[in-house]
């Protein structure tokens, strides 16, 4: 089925480990985003990408790295995980061709850093 | 500094009644506003939007009102149904230079709506 999928759905890792969250969309959308959801903060933008090989920082980029070598994939890497990065991570995409194209979200990855 | 504020964390209404969810913003450059609905263990889904050139947009049971002078918008759900119980996020965007796209959204903290049968 077409859509946007995130993997894994759940991940437990230890402080200091590197972990990569995957995001794949089948719509060929230009724009892709990573948000994190935390109690008391709502959804905050980590990084986004307007096209392959074009990425930019969002509101809370520290400690994260992204890449976009292919239009359909937008992995998010925590280089050295910290407890403060325990969160639910959502990937989203949009065509971006229309100025007001809504975002389409994946079902999230719940990450716990111990 | 939070640019999109949803000051009420929760709302409980009786089935069949009206639900009114409020949202305030501080950035006068925002020109497009959206509401997303989120069920547990799922990603947010787009519900309804409004451009800053309008003051009302209606889609079935859902209506969004925008008061630009007050930097305030509200989502009305009439009549409310138990299936509407979810977290509702208000979001806003502004045109990006040079693409003109409005893709990057700023979200509020969300309001948990409970509709009692």
């Amino acid at each position: 089925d077409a859509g946007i999928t995130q993997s894994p759905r759940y991940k437990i890792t230890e402080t200091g480990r590197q972990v990569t969250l995957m995001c794949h969309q089948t719509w060929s959308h230009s724009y892709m985003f990573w948000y994190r959801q935390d109690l008391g903060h709502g959804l905050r933008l980590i990084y986004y990408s307007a096209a392959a090989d074009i990425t930019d920082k969002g509101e809370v980029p520290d400690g994260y790295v992204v890449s976009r070598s292919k239009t359909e994939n937008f992995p998010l890497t925590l280089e050295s995980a910290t407890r403060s990065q325990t969160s639910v991570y959502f990937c989203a995409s949009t065509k971006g061709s229309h100025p007001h194209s809504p975002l389409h979200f994946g079902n999230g990855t719940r990450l716990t850093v111990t | 500094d939070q640019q999109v504020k949803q000051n009420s964390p929760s709302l409980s209404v009786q089935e069949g009644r009206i639900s009114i969810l409020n949202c305030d913003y501080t950035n006068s450059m925002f020109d497009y506003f959206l509401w997303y609905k989120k069920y547990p263990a799922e990603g947010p889904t787009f519900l309804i939007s409004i451009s800053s050139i309008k003051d009302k947009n209606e889609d079935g049971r859902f209506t969004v009102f925008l008061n630009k002078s007050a930097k305030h918008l509200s989502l009305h759900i009439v009549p409310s149904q138990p299936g509407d119980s979810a977290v509702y996020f208000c979001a806003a965007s502004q045109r990006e230079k040079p693409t003109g796209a409005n893709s990057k959204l700023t979200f509020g903290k969300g309001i948990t709506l409970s509709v009692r049968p």
Side-chain angles (χ1 to χ4, degrees):
Chain A
D1 287 338
I4 183 165
T5 55
Q6 294 183 235
S7 60
R9 286 299 308 271
Y10 303 92
K11 176 73 177 179
I12 300 174
T13 192
E14 295 177 341
T15 300
R17 297 258 190 181
Q18 182 181 83
V19 60
T20 296
L21 310 183
M22 305 302 293
C23 180
H24 175 79
Q25 51 102 355
T26 60
W27 292 304
S28 298
H29 283 171
S30 297
Y31 284 79
M32 296 188 75
F33 305 80
W34 276 105
Y35 284 87
R36 59 178 288 176
Q37 183 190 10
D38 303 287
L39 276 175
H41 291 281
L43 290 160
R44 292 181 293 174
L45 181 64
I46 305 170
Y47 268 96
Y48 68 104
S49 168
D53 297 321
I54 300 175
T55 62
D56 206 349
K57 296 178 180 179
E59 182 185 355
V60 288
D62 293 344
Y64 302 95
V65 174
V66 293
S67 62
R68 186 111 181 261
S69 58
K70 293 184 177 181
T71 300
E72 61 266 29
N73 296 324
F74 191 39
L76 176 73
T77 297
L78 288 67
E79 293 186 298
S80 178
T82 65
R83 289 196 179 90
S84 65
Q85 293 177 309
T86 292
S87 185
V88 181
Y89 291 85
F90 289 100
C91 179
S93 71
T94 182
K95 284 187 293 187
S97 57
H98 185 282
H100 307 303
S101 300
L103 298 187
H104 299 271
F105 284 85
N107 283 331
T109 294
R110 181 175 293 276
L111 176 68
T112 302
V113 183
T114 62
Chain B
D1 180 35
Q2 198 173 16
Q3 299 186 69
V4 177
K5 301 178 182 180
Q6 295 178 262
N7 293 321
S8 300
S10 63
L11 175 68
S12 181
V13 299
Q14 192 74 37
E15 180 179 5
R17 300 290 185 105
I18 184 171
S19 296
I20 300 177
L21 290 75
N22 293 308
C23 178
D24 298 291
Y25 62 95
T26 58
N27 186 345
S28 58
M29 297 301 292
F30 286 146
D31 62 356
Y32 202 70
F33 304 89
L34 307 90
W35 285 92
Y36 280 79
K37 177 179 179 179
K38 183 185 179 306
Y39 292 119
E42 295 182 10
T45 56
F46 170 71
L47 188 59
I48 192 170
S49 61
I50 187 167
S51 167
S52 60
I53 63 174
K54 296 185 176 181
D55 54 18
K56 176 182 175 181
N57 188 29
E58 189 173 355
D59 183 2
R61 296 185 298 113
F62 303 92
T63 302
V64 57
F65 296 91
L66 175 63
N67 182 335
K68 282 185 63 179
S69 61
K71 293 191 178 68
H72 176 82
L73 63 156
S74 60
L75 174 67
H76 292 211
I77 306 174
V78 183
S80 301
Q81 300 173 354
D84 296 329
S85 297
V87 177
Y88 289 79
F89 290 100
C90 173
S93 69
Q94 63 186 85
R95 287 191 178 271
E96 298 170 18
K97 298 177 181 179
T99 63
N102 271 53
S103 302
K104 195 168 62 173
L105 296 181
T106 300
F107 285 84
K109 294 181 181 180
I111 300 171
T112 300
L113 173 65
S114 299
V115 181
R116 306 185 303 274

